Amino acid sequence: MPIYNAPTRDTRFVVNEVLNLESFGNLPGFENATQDMTDTIINEAGKFCSEVLAPLNQVGDQHGCTRHEDGSVTTPPGFKEAFDQYVESGWGTISTPEEFGGQGFPHVMGFVIEEFMATSNQAFAMYPGLTTGAISALMAKGSDEQKQMYLPKMISGEWLGTMNLTEPHCGTDLGMIRTKAEPNGDGSYSITGTKIFISAGEHDLTDNIIHLVLAKTPGAPDSTKGISLFVVPKVLVNEDGSLGERNAVSCGSIEHKMGIHGNSTCVLNYDGAKGWMVGEENKGLAAMFIMMNAARLGVGIQGLAQAEVAYQNAVAYALDRRQGRALTGPAEPEAKADPIFVHPDVRRMLMDAKAFTEGMRALCLWGALLVDLTHKAATEEERAEADALIGLMTPVMKGYGTDKGYDIATNMQQVFGGHGYVEEWGMSQFVRDARIAMIYEGTNGVQAMDLCGRKLPQNGGAAVQAFFKVVADDIADAKGDEVLGPLAEKLEKALNEQQAATMWFMQNAMQNPNHLGAGAHHYMHIMGIVTLGLMWLRMAKVSKEALAGSPEDASFYENKIATARYFMDRFIPDTGALRRKIETGADSMMELGEEAFATAA
């Protein structure tokens, strides 16, 4: 059976030493985030995910969900009991608003739990995962009545939530949706249409599911400017908060998917279901984007998660499996063969995984801190800068994080050789589960275009210029230092490559937008590498300072600096090649006509 041990030591390092979360104690919501408290949350969440959720991961993959004739859905064996423990322990309340029953801790702590859950059991984590985004959308756009009716039970975990965007004929182009919302004359609407790919759309974990649904009212513009958002409960809620009659929404089928079998991905049919508008008419897409952005950050965490669990299992296998001899001579002469861990190509794959997962963890938690600072920083200027940075970073965390997460998962499967292709070892599931993260919540091509087409030019490029300054300031601070200086110099070269690629877009994309489209994916990866390089420079700096105090676990900090060197040596050079690809433009990519792609008989 595959293993998983929550990386609590590394997480405490990022939260306490790299982010220094305790230093923000003067800000609202951070008062109780003392190191003792955050350490307790990290350790106990890690224990719950390692001991309760991880053993159910293969169970969910093998059993999947079952749809019954009445449209109800049963989750895999053990999921309901695990979810009850999750609710009882209050894990879903950690970073939700206190006014509706949450604990009000910073989003950083919520992201910690999201990572551990997604790594131990991604399909399970998806049930409460989208509820967080639904809560955010209702908090921002819902009426006071809607907040009071839905949020307390969604936050407690008594009810869960979903987001309903996609329809059979449209995905990214939401202006084409056909779901209709007819006013009933009493403030409610009658929702009719079909939504597909609805994660956790029907299940037996809770008595009610609160669906947030995009639909069009009569006479609405036939574009994204005519979309409204509606809250549509599976079971109608009485004025006193008790459950009433079943609403006219049903699960038509469960998708048969490549992975995440333990999550019920549903086709939902709305047959005149009663719903209520959230926010203003025809402004639904803006409201849903609140939820989508939260979900995209969560999907970035899933990229890290599958890489992490695959890495842990590959390390264990590489230390145990014996094959051949070390190139420099037998490592263990008394044995018939050495562990494959000694072979440089195996070490290459493991080091790539270690450098990515630890760097990505730091990036995700820094991103969470930016989310917190967007709302709670001391000055308006600091809040605006944090908002600009996390807006810029969201497509990078989702796109680059899941691209690399999938790459790492497949390489960890490669470490197993033939055994990695056999289901009982579990590596196939990690690869299959990782694959969806590159697709949903906006494919990574969409993320790249969001980054390059929207985020880079936004407000005259203010966000990317702020990002350049953050990286440049850290580089300048590290230059001249015996340990950090060489790392900073390599990161500076990568930053120069990103700045050159940005300038090339400015000079060439206006006259031919295809130049932007052809290079967007490469640019997203350049920025991903630069951002992880920034994280590694920061982690190396903290580690160097910690070593000056002769800590008991000195090897932990020494390993951080060594891994930082590896990242700068092995990841950073890719930025130059990616920049050169961008500068070739779109001409050769778009030259062939459609007929050239047809296979001749």
Side-chain angles (χ1 to χ4, degrees):
M1 177 179 286
I3 61 169
Y4 172 63
N5 296 302
T8 53
R9 175 65 183 92
D10 196 56
T11 303
R12 294 196 306 272
F13 166 72
V14 176
V15 171
N16 298 329
E17 300 178 67
V18 179
L19 299 182
N20 193 11
L21 197 65
E22 207 170 34
S23 68
F24 296 91
N26 62 311
L27 301 180
F30 287 80
E31 308 94 333
N32 297 323
T34 63
Q35 183 170 333
D36 285 345
M37 181 58 73
T38 57
D39 282 354
T40 298
I41 292 172
I42 291 167
N43 292 337
E44 290 303 313
K47 183 178 179 181
F48 171 75
C49 293
S50 300
E51 296 179 4
V52 177
L53 300 187
L56 295 174
N57 197 35
Q58 272 195 316
V59 174
D61 187 56
Q62 293 165 0
H63 286 265
C65 296
T66 303
R67 180 187 177 276
H68 306 285
E69 289 187 8
D70 63 357
S72 63
V73 171
T74 302
T75 51
F79 272 44
K80 178 68 169 75
E81 293 77 10
F83 184 76
D84 290 344
Q85 290 185 56
Y86 167 83
V87 172
E88 184 179 348
S89 300
W91 293 121
T93 70
I94 290 293
S95 58
T96 48
E98 290 182 274
E99 63 183 301
F100 296 106
Q103 298 186 53
F105 280 94
H107 283 84
V108 173
M109 302 313 300
F111 273 39
V112 167
I113 296 168
E114 279 195 52
E115 183 205 327
F116 292 173
M117 288 182 64
T119 315
S120 59
N121 194 324
Q122 180 170 318
F124 179 94
M126 290 170 64
Y127 286 101
L130 286 175
T131 305
T132 302
I135 290 169
S136 297
L138 287 172
M139 281 291 298
K141 300 295 183 179
S143 66
D144 290 341
E145 181 183 5
Q146 289 169 347
K147 293 176 184 178
Q148 293 297 333
M149 179 171 287
Y150 301 113
L151 290 181
K153 291 186 178 181
M154 294 174 73
I155 285 172
S156 70
E158 190 173 342
W159 299 343
L160 290 178
T162 71
M163 57 191 294
N164 286 229
L165 292 78
T166 307
E167 299 183 7
H169 63 284
C170 73
T172 301
D173 191 356
L174 290 170
M176 297 169 61
I177 67 170
R178 296 172 183 160
T179 300
K180 298 297 183 183
E182 298 281 348
N184 291 324
D186 61 356
S188 68
Y189 289 77
S190 180
I191 311 298
T192 303
T194 297
K195 298 290 185 178
I196 64 171
F197 302 157
I198 308 306
S199 300
E202 174 63 30
H203 53 75
D204 59 350
L205 301 184
T206 59
D207 293 333
N208 205 1
I209 304 171
I210 310 304
H211 303 294
L212 290 187
V213 184
L214 292 182
K216 291 182 177 179
T217 55
D222 190 21
S223 67
T224 56
K225 294 180 180 180
I227 297 175
S228 299
L229 178 65
F230 299 86
V231 57
V232 187
K234 168 185 168 180
V235 181
L236 296 173
V237 183
N238 298 319
E239 289 186 10
D240 63 358
S242 63
L243 294 181
E245 63 183 26
R246 177 68 188 261
N247 209 351
V249 53
S250 61
C251 173
S253 64
I254 298 177
E255 304 289 357
H256 299 282
K257 310 184 297 294
M258 176 179 174
I260 52 171
H261 296 152
N263 192 269
S264 55
T265 307
C266 299
V267 174
L268 289 185
N269 296 318
Y270 291 86
D271 300 305
K274 185 172 285 190
W276 290 264
M277 188 177 291
V278 178
E280 299 179 52
E281 187 172 6
N282 299 333
K283 299 291 181 66
L285 195 58
M288 185 61 87
F289 260 112
I290 296 170
M291 192 171 182
M292 290 174 64
N293 285 331
R296 286 171 175 176
L297 293 172
V299 174
I301 293 173
Q302 290 177 2
L304 160 63
Q306 296 311 305
E308 171 68 31
V309 69
Y311 165 67
Q312 289 190 20
N313 283 272
V315 169
Y317 185 82
L319 292 170
D320 181 68
R321 171 72 167 174
R322 293 181 179 273
Q323 195 77 33
R325 290 295 191 184
L327 297 178
T328 53
E332 298 181 16
E334 71 284 357
K336 290 185 177 180
D338 292 329
I340 63 172
F341 192 81
V342 304
H343 300 308
D345 192 59
V346 172
R347 191 68 70 90
R348 169 187 63 84
M349 291 186 284
L350 295 177
M351 282 300 297
D352 278 358
K354 182 177 178 63
F356 169 75
T357 54
E358 294 179 16
M360 187 66 186
R361 178 171 300 112
L363 173 57
C364 288
L365 294 177
W366 180 51
L369 179 60
L370 290 174
V371 172
D372 286 311
L373 295 178
T374 294
H375 304 287
K376 298 175 179 178
T379 68
E380 178 58 37
E381 182 180 2
E382 291 172 308
R383 291 192 291 272
E385 180 176 339
D387 187 52
L389 283 174
I390 192 56
L392 183 73
M393 293 309 307
T394 295
V396 178
M397 291 169 66
K398 196 281 186 185
Y400 176 76
T402 60
D403 275 354
K404 289 300 294 182
Y406 179 73
D407 285 348
I408 295 299
T410 56
N411 276 342
M412 297 305 95
Q413 184 184 39
Q414 184 77 11
V415 170
F416 279 72
H419 291 291
Y421 206 65
V422 176
E423 289 292 341
E424 67 187 81
W425 289 90
M427 301 306 288
S428 167
Q429 182 186 354
F430 303 144
V431 172
R432 288 184 284 106
D433 286 357
R435 189 64 184 88
I436 185 58
M438 303 162 70
I439 298 172
Y440 60 13
E441 304 307 338
T443 66
N444 286 356
V446 170
Q447 302 306 314
M449 284 305 295
D450 178 43
L451 172 65
C452 297
R454 293 182 65 247
K455 301 296 174 59
L456 288 187
Q458 205 167 45
N459 298 322
V464 75
Q465 291 302 322
F467 172 76
F468 290 157
K469 185 178 186 306
V470 168
V471 181
D473 287 349
D474 277 47
I475 290 171
D477 185 56
K479 276 188 174 180
D481 183 273
E482 182 179 357
V483 174
L484 304 178
L487 304 177
E489 290 173 6
K490 291 178 180 178
L491 179 57
E492 186 173 41
K493 292 179 180 178
L495 178 62
N496 290 340
E497 300 287 9
Q498 185 184 353
Q499 290 172 324
T502 307
M503 183 60 68
W504 192 89
F505 276 154
M506 291 175 61
Q507 295 171 342
N508 294 275
M510 289 294 289
Q511 64 265 34
N512 185 355
N514 278 340
H515 288 325
L516 186 76
H521 180 268
H522 303 313
Y523 186 93
M524 180 176 72
H525 275 244
I526 290 177
M527 189 165 179
I529 294 168
V530 171
T531 309
L532 257 65
L534 174 65
M535 296 300 102
W536 274 113
L537 184 60
R538 289 180 174 180
M539 288 190 286
K541 179 182 178 181
V542 170
S543 297
K544 176 179 177 289
E545 292 169 351
L547 286 169
S550 301
E552 290 183 6
D553 56 347
S555 61
F556 175 88
Y557 298 103
E558 291 166 353
N559 293 342
K560 282 291 179 188
I561 294 173
T563 308
R565 280 196 289 266
Y566 179 87
F567 183 90
M568 301 302 182
D569 285 346
R570 290 283 181 150
F571 281 65
I572 290 293
D574 290 345
T575 59
L578 291 167
R579 190 260 301 166
R580 287 190 290 275
K581 285 185 177 183
I582 289 171
E583 292 178 354
T584 63
D587 292 346
S588 62
M589 184 180 294
M590 307 300 289
E591 182 178 358
L592 298 182
E594 293 178 11
E595 71 284 352
F597 292 88
T599 301

